[in-house]
Amino acid sequence: MAAVCQVTGAVPGFGHNVSHSHRRTKRRFDPNVQKKTYFVASLGRKITLNVSAKGIKVIDARGIENVVKDLQAKGVKL
């Protein structure tokens, strides 16, 4: 599963692990992406989204209907 949120568009960040001796090695900061299933009344069915923890909060605040409408306007296939 790709570490990309379908609602917020959050993608992995990159940086370094820094050891005690201050050597740096590459690392990846992945967003907290979860697979969630929501029932959308306007579509009459369930949809599964890959959403980050912040994306879940956005859906709770704005409502799944508004979020789905915005995703469809962007051209995301649901």
Side-chain angles (χ1 to χ4, degrees), residues 16-72:
H16 292 96
N17 284 325
V18 181
S19 70
H20 181 69
S21 63
H22 221 61
R23 289 183 60 115
R24 292 175 170 92
T25 55
K26 294 278 188 182
R27 67 158 294 175
R28 218 171 111 127
F29 295 91
D30 285 332
N32 185 9
V33 174
Q34 309 291 323
K35 193 174 269 192
K36 293 281 287 181
T37 303
Y38 294 96
F39 179 77
V40 182
S42 63
L43 299 177
R45 62 184 176 91
K46 294 179 184 178
I47 60 166
T48 302
L49 297 173
N50 291 327
V51 291
S52 62
K54 186 176 180 180
I56 294 170
K57 292 176 187 177
V58 168
I59 291 171
D60 288 344
R62 294 180 52 212
I64 188 65
E65 297 289 339
N66 291 330
V67 172
V68 166
K69 187 175 74 171
D70 290 346
L71 288 174
Q72 287 176 332

